Amino acid sequence: MTTPDDLTDAALAVFAFAIYHQLDSGEPVTKVVADDGKGHRANRSAVEELEKLGLARLEGDAISFSPEGMQMIEQLIGRLLGR
């Protein structure tokens, strides 16, 4: 199983973006925008890393998290909150 310690900083940044939105909204985030056309764009190598690890997949202009990716989000939130 992949852990946060196995991920590059760029891959963690994709999760950080999702975590920000999840903590802000209080709702689970299952996908994030990969390219909003206004300057925000996910690092391509990070997306490829997440796809290779089975944590997410690129679907058009969105990065969709797999069930394992969703678990990673929860694990990272737990670390942030000291759980």
Side-chain angles (χ1 to χ4, degrees):
M1 183 173 125
T2 304
T3 71
D5 298 328
D6 300 322
L7 301 175
T8 63
D9 288 349
L12 286 170
V14 174
F15 282 114
F17 186 63
I19 289 166
Y20 164 79
H21 287 290
Q22 184 162 319
L23 291 174
D24 186 52
S25 70
E27 299 292 324
V29 171
T30 60
K31 62 184 173 180
V32 293
V33 174
D35 186 346
D36 68 1
K38 298 176 184 172
H40 171 265
R41 189 172 341 158
N43 179 300
R44 183 66 191 149
S45 65
V47 175
E48 289 171 357
E49 177 182 351
L50 296 176
E51 288 180 313
K52 180 180 173 186
L53 294 170
L55 298 172
R57 67 184 175 280
L58 187 61
E59 296 178 336
D61 64 352
I63 301 165
S64 295
F65 298 104
S66 67
E68 294 81 8
M70 295 298 296
Q71 288 177 345
M72 182 72 69
I73 289 171
E74 292 305 318
Q75 184 178 7
L76 288 164
I77 288 173
R79 286 185 179 192
L80 282 171
L81 299 177
R83 294 183 189 150

Coordinates of all heavy atoms in Angstrom, one line a residue:
M1 N 0.8 -1.2 0.0 CA 0.0 0.0 0.0 C 0.9 1.3 0.0 O 1.9 1.3 0.7 CB -0.9 0.0 1.2 CG -1.8 1.2 1.3 SD -3.0 1.0 2.6 CE -2.7 2.5 3.4
T2 N 0.5 2.2 -0.8 CA 1.2 3.5 -0.9 C 0.9 4.3 0.3 O -0.2 4.4 0.8 CB 0.8 4.2 -2.2 OG1 1.1 3.4 -3.3 CG2 1.6 5.5 -2.3
T3 N 1.9 5.0 0.9 CA 1.7 5.9 2.0 C 2.1 7.3 1.6 O 2.8 7.4 0.6 CB 2.6 5.5 3.2 OG1 3.9 5.7 2.9 CG2 2.4 4.0 3.6
P4 N 1.7 8.3 2.3 CA 2.1 9.7 2.0 C 3.7 9.8 1.9 O 4.2 10.6 1.1 CB 1.6 10.5 3.1 CG 0.4 9.7 3.6 CD 0.8 8.3 3.5
D5 N 4.4 9.0 2.7 CA 5.8 9.1 2.7 C 6.4 8.6 1.3 O 7.6 8.9 1.0 CB 6.4 8.3 3.8 CG 6.0 8.8 5.2 OD1 5.8 10.0 5.3 OD2 5.9 8.0 6.1
D6 N 5.7 7.9 0.5 CA 6.1 7.4 -0.8 C 5.9 8.4 -1.9 O 6.4 8.2 -3.0 CB 5.3 6.1 -1.1 CG 5.5 5.0 -0.1 OD1 6.6 4.8 0.4 OD2 4.5 4.3 0.1
L7 N 5.2 9.5 -1.6 CA 4.9 10.4 -2.7 C 5.8 11.6 -2.8 O 6.4 12.0 -1.8 CB 3.5 11.0 -2.4 CG 2.3 10.0 -2.3 CD1 1.0 10.7 -2.0 CD2 2.2 9.2 -3.7
T8 N 6.0 12.1 -4.0 CA 6.8 13.3 -4.2 C 6.0 14.5 -3.7 O 4.8 14.4 -3.5 CB 7.1 13.5 -5.7 OG1 5.9 13.7 -6.4 CG2 7.9 12.3 -6.3
D9 N 6.7 15.6 -3.5 CA 6.1 16.8 -3.1 C 5.0 17.3 -4.1 O 4.0 17.7 -3.7 CB 7.1 17.9 -2.9 CG 8.0 17.7 -1.7 OD1 7.7 16.8 -0.8 OD2 9.0 18.5 -1.5
A10 N 5.3 17.1 -5.4 CA 4.3 17.5 -6.4 C 3.0 16.7 -6.3 O 1.9 17.2 -6.4 CB 5.0 17.3 -7.8
A11 N 3.2 15.4 -6.0 CA 2.0 14.6 -5.9 C 1.2 14.9 -4.6 O 0.0 15.0 -4.6 CB 2.4 13.1 -5.8
L12 N 2.0 15.2 -3.5 CA 1.3 15.7 -2.3 C 0.6 17.0 -2.5 O -0.5 17.2 -1.9 CB 2.4 15.8 -1.2 CG 2.9 14.5 -0.6 CD1 4.1 14.8 0.3 CD2 1.8 13.8 0.2
A13 N 1.1 17.8 -3.4 CA 0.5 19.1 -3.7 C -0.9 18.9 -4.3 O -1.9 19.7 -4.0 CB 1.3 20.0 -4.6
V14 N -1.1 17.9 -5.1 CA -2.4 17.6 -5.7 C -3.4 17.2 -4.5 O -4.5 17.7 -4.5 CB -2.4 16.5 -6.7 CG1 -3.7 16.1 -7.2 CG2 -1.5 16.9 -7.9
F15 N -2.9 16.4 -3.6 CA -3.7 16.1 -2.4 C -4.0 17.3 -1.5 O -5.1 17.4 -1.0 CB -3.1 14.9 -1.6 CG -3.3 13.6 -2.2 CD1 -2.2 12.9 -2.7 CD2 -4.5 13.0 -2.3 CE1 -2.4 11.6 -3.3 CE2 -4.7 11.8 -2.9 CZ -3.7 11.1 -3.4
A16 N -3.0 18.1 -1.4 CA -3.1 19.3 -0.6 C -4.3 20.2 -1.1 O -5.1 20.8 -0.3 CB -1.8 20.1 -0.5
F17 N -4.4 20.3 -2.4 CA -5.4 21.1 -3.1 C -6.8 20.5 -2.7 O -7.7 21.2 -2.3 CB -5.2 21.1 -4.6 CG -6.1 22.0 -5.3 CD1 -6.1 23.4 -5.1 CD2 -6.9 21.5 -6.3 CE1 -7.0 24.2 -5.8 CE2 -7.8 22.3 -7.0 CZ -7.8 23.7 -6.7
A18 N -6.9 19.2 -2.8 CA -8.1 18.5 -2.5 C -8.5 18.6 -1.0 O -9.6 18.9 -0.7 CB -8.0 17.0 -2.9
I19 N -7.5 18.5 -0.2 CA -7.7 18.6 1.3 C -8.1 20.0 1.6 O -9.1 20.1 2.5 CB -6.4 18.2 2.0 CG1 -6.1 16.7 1.9 CG2 -6.4 18.6 3.5 CD1 -4.8 16.3 2.3
Y20 N -7.5 21.0 1.0 CA -8.0 22.4 1.3 C -9.5 22.5 1.0 O -10.3 23.0 1.9 CB -7.2 23.4 0.4 CG -7.9 24.7 0.4 CD1 -7.7 25.6 1.4 CD2 -8.7 25.1 -0.7 CE1 -8.4 26.9 1.4 CE2 -9.3 26.3 -0.7 CZ -9.2 27.2 0.3 OH -9.8 28.4 0.3
H21 N -9.9 22.0 -0.1 CA -11.3 22.2 -0.5 C -12.2 21.3 0.4 O -13.3 21.7 0.8 CB -11.6 21.8 -2.0 CG -11.1 22.9 -2.8 ND1 -11.7 24.1 -3.0 CD2 -10.0 23.0 -3.6 CE1 -11.0 24.9 -3.8 NE2 -9.9 24.2 -4.2
Q22 N -11.8 20.2 0.8 CA -12.6 19.3 1.7 C -12.7 19.9 3.1 O -13.8 19.9 3.6 CB -11.9 17.9 1.8 CG -12.8 16.9 2.6 CD -12.4 15.5 2.3 OE1 -12.2 15.1 1.2 NE2 -12.4 14.7 3.4
L23 N -11.6 20.4 3.6 CA -11.7 21.0 4.9 C -12.5 22.3 4.9 O -13.3 22.6 5.8 CB -10.3 21.3 5.5 CG -9.5 20.1 5.9 CD1 -8.1 20.5 6.3 CD2 -10.1 19.3 7.0
D24 N -12.4 23.1 3.8 CA -13.2 24.3 3.7 C -14.7 24.1 3.5 O -15.5 24.8 4.1 CB -12.6 25.1 2.5 CG -13.3 26.5 2.3 OD1 -13.2 27.2 3.3 OD2 -13.8 26.8 1.2
S25 N -15.0 23.1 2.8 CA -16.4 22.8 2.5 C -17.1 21.9 3.5 O -18.3 21.9 3.6 CB -16.6 22.2 1.1 OG -16.1 20.9 1.0
G26 N -16.3 21.0 4.1 CA -16.8 20.0 5.0 C -17.4 18.8 4.2 O -18.0 17.9 4.8
E27 N -17.2 18.8 2.9 CA -17.7 17.7 2.1 C -16.6 16.9 1.5 O -15.5 17.5 1.1 CB -18.6 18.3 0.9 CG -19.8 19.0 1.4 CD -20.8 18.1 2.1 OE1 -21.0 17.0 1.6 OE2 -21.5 18.6 3.0
P28 N -16.7 15.6 1.3 CA -15.7 14.8 0.6 C -15.4 15.3 -0.8 O -16.3 15.7 -1.5 CB -16.2 13.4 0.6 CG -17.3 13.4 1.6 CD -17.9 14.8 1.7
V29 N -14.1 15.4 -1.1 CA -13.7 15.8 -2.5 C -13.3 14.6 -3.2 O -12.3 13.9 -2.8 CB -12.6 16.9 -2.4 CG1 -12.0 17.2 -3.8 CG2 -13.1 18.2 -1.7
T30 N -13.9 14.3 -4.3 CA -13.6 13.1 -5.1 C -12.8 13.4 -6.3 O -12.2 12.5 -6.9 CB -14.9 12.4 -5.5 OG1 -15.7 13.3 -6.3 CG2 -15.7 11.9 -4.3
K31 N -12.8 14.7 -6.7 CA -12.0 15.1 -7.8 C -11.7 16.6 -7.7 O -12.3 17.4 -7.0 CB -12.7 14.9 -9.2 CG -14.0 15.6 -9.4 CD -14.7 15.1 -10.6 CE -16.1 15.7 -10.8 NZ -16.7 15.3 -12.0
V32 N -10.6 17.0 -8.4 CA -10.2 18.4 -8.5 C -9.9 18.8 -9.9 O -9.7 17.9 -10.8 CB -8.9 18.7 -7.6 CG1 -9.2 18.5 -6.1 CG2 -7.7 17.8 -8.0
V33 N -9.9 20.0 -10.2 CA -9.6 20.5 -11.5 C -8.1 20.4 -11.9 O -7.3 20.7 -11.1 CB -10.0 22.0 -11.7 CG1 -9.6 22.6 -13.0 CG2 -11.5 22.2 -11.5
A34 N -7.8 19.8 -13.0 CA -6.5 19.6 -13.5 C -6.0 20.9 -14.2 O -4.8 21.2 -14.1 CB -6.3 18.4 -14.4
D35 N -6.8 21.6 -14.9 CA -6.5 22.8 -15.6 C -7.7 23.6 -15.7 O -8.7 23.2 -16.4 CB -5.9 22.4 -17.0 CG -5.4 23.6 -17.8 OD1 -5.7 24.8 -17.4 OD2 -4.7 23.4 -18.8
D36 N -7.7 24.8 -15.0 CA -8.9 25.6 -15.1 C -8.9 26.6 -16.2 O -9.9 27.4 -16.3 CB -9.1 26.3 -13.7 CG -8.1 27.4 -13.4 OD1 -7.2 27.6 -14.2 OD2 -8.2 27.9 -12.3
G37 N -7.9 26.6 -17.0 CA -7.8 27.6 -18.1 C -7.5 29.0 -17.7 O -7.5 29.9 -18.6
K38 N -7.3 29.2 -16.4 CA -7.0 30.6 -15.9 C -5.7 30.6 -15.2 O -5.4 31.5 -14.4 CB -8.1 31.0 -15.0 CG -9.5 31.1 -15.7 CD -10.6 31.4 -14.7 CE -11.9 31.4 -15.4 NZ -13.0 31.6 -14.5
G39 N -4.8 29.6 -15.4 CA -3.5 29.6 -14.8 C -3.3 28.6 -13.8 O -2.1 28.3 -13.5
H40 N -4.3 28.0 -13.2 CA -4.1 26.9 -12.3 C -4.1 25.6 -13.1 O -5.0 25.2 -13.8 CB -5.3 26.8 -11.3 CG -5.2 25.5 -10.5 ND1 -5.9 24.4 -10.8 CD2 -4.5 25.2 -9.4 CE1 -5.6 23.4 -9.9 NE2 -4.7 23.9 -9.1
R41 N -2.9 24.9 -12.9 CA -2.7 23.6 -13.7 C -1.9 22.7 -12.8 O -0.9 23.1 -12.2 CB -1.9 23.9 -14.9 CG -1.8 22.8 -15.9 CD -1.2 23.3 -17.2 NE -1.3 24.8 -17.3 CZ -0.5 25.5 -18.0 NH1 0.5 25.0 -18.7 NH2 -0.6 26.8 -18.1
A42 N -2.4 21.5 -12.7 CA -1.7 20.5 -11.9 C -0.4 20.1 -12.6 O -0.4 20.0 -13.8 CB -2.6 19.2 -11.7
N43 N 0.6 19.8 -11.8 CA 1.9 19.3 -12.4 C 1.6 18.0 -13.1 O 1.1 17.0 -12.5 CB 2.8 19.1 -11.2 CG 4.2 18.6 -11.6 OD1 4.3 17.6 -12.2 ND2 5.2 19.4 -11.3
R44 N 2.0 17.9 -14.4 CA 1.7 16.7 -15.2 C 2.4 15.5 -14.6 O 1.9 14.4 -14.6 CB 2.2 17.0 -16.6 CG 1.9 15.8 -17.5 CD 0.4 15.6 -17.7 NE 0.2 14.3 -18.4 CZ -0.9 13.5 -18.2 NH1 -1.8 13.9 -17.3 NH2 -1.0 12.4 -18.8
S45 N 3.7 15.6 -14.2 CA 4.4 14.5 -13.6 C 3.7 14.0 -12.3 O 3.7 12.8 -12.1 CB 5.9 14.8 -13.4 OG 6.1 15.8 -12.4
A46 N 3.2 14.9 -11.6 CA 2.5 14.5 -10.3 C 1.2 13.7 -10.7 O 0.9 12.7 -10.1 CB 2.1 15.7 -9.5
V47 N 0.5 14.1 -11.7 CA -0.7 13.4 -12.1 C -0.3 12.0 -12.6 O -1.0 11.0 -12.3 CB -1.5 14.2 -13.2 CG1 -2.7 13.4 -13.7 CG2 -2.0 15.5 -12.7
E48 N 0.8 11.9 -13.4 CA 1.2 10.6 -13.9 C 1.6 9.7 -12.8 O 1.3 8.5 -12.8 CB 2.4 10.8 -14.9 CG 2.0 11.5 -16.2 CD 3.2 11.9 -17.1 OE1 4.3 11.7 -16.6 OE2 2.9 12.4 -18.2
E49 N 2.3 10.3 -11.7 CA 2.6 9.5 -10.6 C 1.4 8.9 -9.9 O 1.4 7.8 -9.5 CB 3.4 10.4 -9.6 CG 3.8 9.7 -8.3 CD 4.6 10.7 -7.4 OE1 4.9 11.8 -7.8 OE2 4.8 10.3 -6.2
L50 N 0.4 9.8 -9.7 CA -0.8 9.3 -9.0 C -1.6 8.3 -9.8 O -2.1 7.3 -9.3 CB -1.7 10.5 -8.7 CG -1.2 11.6 -7.8 CD1 -2.1 12.8 -7.6 CD2 -0.9 11.0 -6.4
E51 N -1.5 8.4 -11.1 CA -2.1 7.4 -12.0 C -1.4 6.1 -11.9 O -2.0 5.0 -11.8 CB -2.2 7.9 -13.4 CG -3.2 9.0 -13.7 CD -3.2 9.5 -15.1 OE1 -2.1 9.7 -15.7 OE2 -4.3 9.6 -15.7
K52 N -0.1 6.2 -12.0 CA 0.8 5.0 -11.9 C 0.5 4.2 -10.6 O 0.5 3.0 -10.5 CB 2.2 5.3 -12.0 CG 3.2 4.2 -12.0 CD 4.6 4.6 -12.1 CE 5.6 3.4 -11.9 NZ 6.9 3.9 -11.9
L53 N 0.3 4.9 -9.5 CA 0.1 4.3 -8.2 C -1.3 3.9 -7.9 O -1.7 3.4 -6.9 CB 0.6 5.3 -7.1 CG 2.1 5.6 -7.0 CD1 2.4 6.7 -6.1 CD2 2.8 4.3 -6.7
G54 N -2.2 4.2 -8.9 CA -3.6 3.9 -8.8 C -4.4 4.8 -7.8 O -5.4 4.4 -7.3
L55 N -3.9 6.0 -7.5 CA -4.5 6.8 -6.6 C -5.5 7.8 -7.2 O -6.4 8.4 -6.6 CB -3.5 7.6 -5.8 CG -2.5 6.8 -4.9 CD1 -1.4 7.6 -4.4 CD2 -3.3 6.1 -3.8
A56 N -5.3 8.1 -8.5 CA -6.2 9.0 -9.3 C -6.0 8.7 -10.7 O -5.1 8.0 -11.2 CB -5.7 10.4 -8.9
R57 N -6.9 9.4 -11.5 CA -6.8 9.3 -13.0 C -7.3 10.6 -13.5 O -8.2 11.3 -13.0 CB -7.6 8.1 -13.5 CG -9.1 8.2 -13.4 CD -9.8 6.9 -13.9 NE -11.2 7.0 -13.7 CZ -11.8 6.8 -12.5 NH1 -11.1 6.4 -11.5 NH2 -13.1 6.8 -12.4
L58 N -6.7 11.0 -14.6 CA -7.0 12.2 -15.3 C -8.2 11.9 -16.2 O -8.2 11.0 -17.0 CB -5.8 12.7 -16.2 CG -6.0 14.0 -16.9 CD1 -6.2 15.1 -15.8 CD2 -4.8 14.3 -17.7
E59 N -9.3 12.7 -16.0 CA -10.5 12.5 -16.8 C -10.9 13.9 -17.4 O -11.5 14.7 -16.7 CB -11.6 12.0 -16.0 CG -11.4 10.6 -15.4 CD -12.5 10.1 -14.5 OE1 -13.3 11.0 -14.0 OE2 -12.7 8.9 -14.4
G60 N -10.4 14.2 -18.6 CA -10.7 15.5 -19.2 C -9.9 16.5 -18.4 O -8.6 16.5 -18.4
D61 N -10.5 17.5 -17.9 CA -9.8 18.6 -17.1 C -9.9 18.3 -15.6 O -9.7 19.3 -14.8 CB -10.4 19.9 -17.5 CG -11.9 20.1 -17.1 OD1 -12.5 19.2 -16.7 OD2 -12.3 21.3 -17.2
A62 N -10.2 17.1 -15.2 CA -10.3 16.8 -13.8 C -9.5 15.6 -13.4 O -9.2 14.7 -14.2 CB -11.8 16.5 -13.4
I63 N -9.0 15.7 -12.2 CA -8.2 14.6 -11.6 C -9.2 13.9 -10.6 O -9.6 14.5 -9.6 CB -7.0 15.1 -10.8 CG1 -6.1 15.8 -11.7 CG2 -6.3 13.9 -10.1 CD1 -5.0 16.6 -11.0
S64 N -9.6 12.7 -10.9 CA -10.6 11.9 -10.1 C -9.8 10.9 -9.2 O -8.9 10.2 -9.7 CB -11.5 11.1 -11.0 OG -12.3 12.0 -11.7
F65 N -10.1 11.0 -7.9 CA -9.4 10.1 -7.0 C -10.1 8.7 -6.9 O -11.3 8.6 -6.9 CB -9.4 10.7 -5.6 CG -8.6 12.0 -5.6 CD1 -9.3 13.2 -5.5 CD2 -7.2 12.1 -5.6 CE1 -8.6 14.4 -5.5 CE2 -6.5 13.3 -5.6 CZ -7.2 14.4 -5.6
S66 N -9.3 7.7 -6.9 CA -9.7 6.3 -6.7 C -10.1 6.1 -5.3 O -9.8 7.0 -4.4 CB -8.6 5.3 -7.1 OG -7.6 5.4 -6.2
P67 N -10.7 5.0 -4.9 CA -11.0 4.7 -3.5 C -9.7 4.8 -2.7 O -9.7 5.3 -1.6 CB -11.6 3.3 -3.5 CG -12.3 3.2 -4.8 CD -11.4 4.0 -5.8
E68 N -8.6 4.3 -3.2 CA -7.3 4.4 -2.5 C -6.8 5.8 -2.4 O -6.3 6.2 -1.3 CB -6.2 3.5 -3.2 CG -6.5 2.1 -3.3 CD -7.5 1.6 -4.3 OE1 -7.9 2.4 -5.2 OE2 -7.9 0.4 -4.3
G69 N -7.1 6.6 -3.4 CA -6.8 8.0 -3.3 C -7.6 8.7 -2.3 O -7.1 9.6 -1.5
M70 N -8.9 8.4 -2.2 CA -9.8 9.0 -1.1 C -9.3 8.6 0.3 O -9.3 9.4 1.2 CB -11.2 8.5 -1.3 CG -11.8 9.0 -2.6 SD -11.9 10.8 -2.7 CE -13.1 11.1 -1.4
Q71 N -8.8 7.3 0.4 CA -8.2 6.9 1.7 C -7.0 7.7 2.0 O -6.7 8.1 3.2 CB -7.9 5.4 1.7 CG -9.1 4.5 1.7 CD -8.7 3.1 1.6 OE1 -7.6 2.7 1.2 NE2 -9.6 2.2 1.9
M72 N -6.2 8.0 1.0 CA -5.0 8.9 1.2 C -5.4 10.2 1.7 O -4.7 10.8 2.6 CB -4.2 9.0 -0.1 CG -2.9 9.7 0.0 SD -1.6 8.9 0.9 CE -1.2 7.6 -0.2
I73 N -6.4 10.8 1.1 CA -6.9 12.1 1.6 C -7.2 12.1 3.0 O -6.8 12.9 3.8 CB -8.1 12.6 0.7 CG1 -7.6 13.0 -0.7 CG2 -8.8 13.8 1.4 CD1 -8.7 13.3 -1.7
E74 N -8.0 11.1 3.4 CA -8.4 10.9 4.8 C -7.1 10.7 5.7 O -7.1 11.3 6.8 CB -9.4 9.8 5.0 CG -10.7 10.1 4.4 CD -11.4 11.3 4.9 OE1 -11.3 11.6 6.1 OE2 -11.9 12.1 4.0
Q75 N -6.2 9.9 5.3 CA -5.0 9.7 6.1 C -4.2 11.0 6.2 O -3.7 11.3 7.3 CB -4.1 8.7 5.4 CG -2.9 8.3 6.2 CD -2.0 7.2 5.5 OE1 -2.3 6.8 4.3 NE2 -1.0 6.7 6.2
L76 N -4.1 11.8 5.2 CA -3.4 13.1 5.3 C -4.1 14.1 6.2 O -3.5 14.8 6.9 CB -3.1 13.6 3.9 CG -2.1 12.9 3.0 CD1 -2.2 13.3 1.6 CD2 -0.7 13.2 3.5
I77 N -5.4 14.1 6.1 CA -6.2 15.0 7.0 C -6.0 14.5 8.4 O -5.8 15.4 9.3 CB -7.7 15.0 6.6 CG1 -7.9 15.7 5.3 CG2 -8.5 15.6 7.7 CD1 -9.3 15.6 4.7
G78 N -6.0 13.2 8.6 CA -5.7 12.7 10.0 C -4.4 13.2 10.5 O -4.2 13.6 11.7
R79 N -3.3 13.2 9.7 CA -2.0 13.7 10.1 C -2.1 15.2 10.4 O -1.5 15.6 11.4 CB -1.0 13.4 9.0 CG -0.6 12.0 8.9 CD 0.6 11.8 7.9 NE 1.0 10.4 7.8 CZ 2.1 10.1 7.1 NH1 2.9 11.0 6.6 NH2 2.5 8.8 7.1
L80 N -2.8 15.9 9.6 CA -2.9 17.4 9.8 C -3.5 17.7 11.2 O -3.2 18.6 11.9 CB -3.6 18.1 8.7 CG -2.9 18.3 7.4 CD1 -3.9 18.8 6.3 CD2 -1.8 19.4 7.6
L81 N -4.5 16.9 11.5 CA -5.3 17.1 12.7 C -4.8 16.4 13.9 O -5.3 16.4 15.0 CB -6.8 16.7 12.4 CG -7.5 17.5 11.3 CD1 -8.9 17.0 11.1 CD2 -7.5 19.0 11.6
G82 N -3.7 15.7 13.7 CA -3.0 15.0 14.8 C -3.8 13.8 15.3 O -3.7 13.4 16.4
R83 N -4.4 13.1 14.4 CA -5.2 11.9 14.7 C -4.3 10.7 14.5 O -3.6 10.5 13.7 CB -6.5 11.8 13.9 CG -7.4 12.8 14.1 CD -8.7 12.6 13.3 NE -9.5 13.8 13.4 CZ -10.4 14.1 12.4 NH1 -10.4 13.5 11.3 NH2 -11.1 15.2 12.6

